[in-house]
Structure formats: structure tokens, C-alpha cells
Amino acid sequence: MTDSEKFRDAMWRLGAAVNIITTDGAAGRHGITASAVCRLSDDPAAVLLSVNRSGQMHGVLRANRKLCINVLGGEHEELSNNFASRRLEASERFGMAAWEEMENGTPALVGALCSLGCRVDTISETGTHSVFVCHVEEIRFGPAQSGLMHFGRRYHRLAIPEAA
């Protein structure tokens, strides 16, 4: 097993929330499934997003410099798979769900746990990926539901915690 394969196997043991990242602008409308999203700062609100440089989303996102992070609930497993598929065009992916527009013009998934409208502040390239540092400009909350996580190469639903 190569070091790269070992690292990928190790990362499958790191549970992560599942998100659909969307963008729209002069470079077009596009979206991908991503788990490489991380809170960076509370004040100002900022997140990190890692995107593979060989994928189409990288160039579109780099050009549009705005995005929406749609945090998925347990009911969105099939949609997550569709946005992860390389066989589907962007128009097909977006046609599988209802969307509304964020203030920055990016698509927000109707029914997502939450949607974060962001602008890209900086981009750093490391190895196969770029890290996008994004300033959160708008937050919308959806219905309380189970969360969708990815762990061990499988999806898992997290139950809504009972009120304390």
C-alpha cells in the first residue's frame, strides 16, 4: 500500500459532515459534494473549504469567488451521491432538488440543515487540493432533522439530540 493510499484510508476514519458546495456567477453554476469543510473563525465568521484542483469545480469556484455551503440532513444521502457523481452534468444535479438564491446569488438547498453564503477571501494550493478561506456573509437555517455524516466509507445519520 502506498503512502497516499494509507493516508486516504486513515482519512476515512475521520468522521465528517456531508455538504453540497454550490456556486454561480460569470464562470457558471456548479456544485459538488464535500466533507472537507471546517470552521475557521467565529468573529469574523469564516470557514475553510478544500477542493481538488483537478476537478471542474475548482476552476469555476476560483473564478466566481463566491459559494454556498449546504449542510445536509439524513434525508439527503441520494442527493449527496448525485452531486458526487462525475457522470451527471450540473444542470441534472440541480434538477434533483429545490433551490433558492442566497443574497450572493449562489444556490441554497431548500431543506438543508443550514446554508452559508460565502465569499472567497484567499486561496492556497497544497498538493492536489486548494484551500479556500471563505468569509460567511449570510446564514439560513432549515428544519431540525438528523445530520448526515460520512465515516468508514459509508453514510451515517446522526439523531437530533434531545433537549437538555
Side-chain angles (χ1 to χ4, degrees):
M1 183 181 289
T2 67
D3 287 344
S4 182
E5 290 170 329
K6 282 183 189 175
F7 180 72
R8 278 193 301 275
D9 282 349
M11 290 299 95
W12 288 120
R13 296 173 188 219
L14 176 65
V18 182
N19 310 278
I20 291 178
I21 311 302
T22 59
T23 188
D24 201 350
R29 188 181 216 201
H30 200 57
I32 60 168
T33 298
S35 59
V37 176
C38 172
R39 178 176 76 190
L40 175 62
S41 170
D42 292 340
D43 190 14
V47 295
L48 297 174
L49 168 66
S50 176
V51 177
N52 191 314
R53 291 195 337 247
S54 68
Q56 182 182 3
M57 179 65 158
H58 185 270
V60 176
L61 192 54
R62 192 174 191 78
N64 286 345
R65 298 198 66 91
K66 59 184 179 176
L67 59 98
C68 183
I69 299 169
N70 297 282
V71 181
L72 301 184
E75 67 186 45
H76 297 120
E77 184 175 331
E78 182 178 353
L79 187 63
S80 171
N81 284 328
N82 289 330
F83 270 78
S85 173
R86 292 188 174 132
R87 295 175 293 130
L88 299 174
E89 295 295 322
S91 59
E92 293 175 280
R93 294 174 185 178
F94 283 101
M96 298 174 174
W99 303 89
E100 56 190 18
E101 193 172 292
M102 298 292 277
E103 289 176 11
N104 68 3
T106 58
L109 176 63
V110 173
L113 289 175
C114 66
S115 297
L116 308 173
C118 306
R119 90 176 130 69
V120 175
D121 286 332
T122 60
I123 304 168
S124 299
E125 294 182 358
T126 302
T128 58
H129 285 63
S130 289
V131 175
F132 292 78
V133 175
C134 306
H135 176 79
V136 178
E137 299 178 313
E138 180 183 2
I139 301 172
R140 293 187 188 171
F141 292 98
Q145 57 181 312
S146 63
L148 188 62
M149 300 290 292
H150 202 259
F151 175 77
R153 300 177 193 235
R154 293 183 42 217
Y155 288 107
H156 302 272
R157 291 182 184 200
L158 294 181
I160 300 170
E162 293 183 29

